[in-house]
Amino acid sequence: QVQLVESGGGLVQPGGSLRLSCAVSGFTFSNDAMSWYRQAPGKAREFTAYISSTADGTDYADSVAGRFTISRDNAKNTVYLQMNSLKLEDTAVYYCQAPRIGAWGQGTQVTVSS
């Protein structure tokens, strides 16, 4: 069975940094692209970042481009989201997804607050 487990969220001040992790099992991780989405309070879930299976292609939402970096470690079956220069509007539950299979993790809460 497919499992995606996000971790690394927490409380951070504006301008701070945080690195999220998503540990994957139940499918061949190295063959699949991965994405991060986020859902702010009262808002729809929105695309945040994408990385191809070989990590040679990435894509970011305009709202996070230049501040967030997606990466992966295929030896650890893990995808990461490095978040720098965090803003109040980055507050959300962050979810990882394997687009091919459409499964979601449980999410990890990121709260940016002064």
Side-chain angles (χ1 to χ4, degrees):
Q1 57 273 46
V2 174
Q3 298 283 333
L4 302 95
V5 181
E6 300 94 338
S7 62
L11 177 64
V12 64
Q13 293 184 344
S17 296
L18 208 58
R19 188 172 80 155
L20 307 183
S21 299
C22 175
V24 169
S25 62
F27 63 97
T28 305
F29 176 74
S30 62
N31 287 348
D32 279 271
M34 295 293 297
S35 295
W36 286 95
Y37 284 73
R38 65 186 185 181
Q39 187 166 22
K43 303 293 185 180
R45 193 170 298 185
E46 65 177 0
F47 168 77
T48 305
Y50 163 92
I51 187 166
S52 67
S53 60
T54 57
D56 60 347
T58 58
D59 193 27
Y60 300 92
D62 288 345
S63 57
V64 307
R67 300 186 298 118
F68 290 12
T69 302
I70 188 170
S71 62
R72 64 193 298 155
D73 185 341
N74 287 355
K76 296 182 178 181
N77 283 9
T78 301
V79 62
Y80 303 96
L81 187 67
Q82 178 67 46
M83 306 185 296
N84 298 327
S85 302
L86 283 161
K87 304 175 179 179
L88 296 178
E89 54 263 41
D90 295 320
T91 295
V93 178
Y94 284 72
Y95 300 89
C96 66
Q97 186 209 36
R100 182 178 63 86
I101 61 174
W104 301 95
Q106 85 290 345
T108 185
Q109 175 71 51
V110 172
T111 302
V112 184
S113 177
S114 59

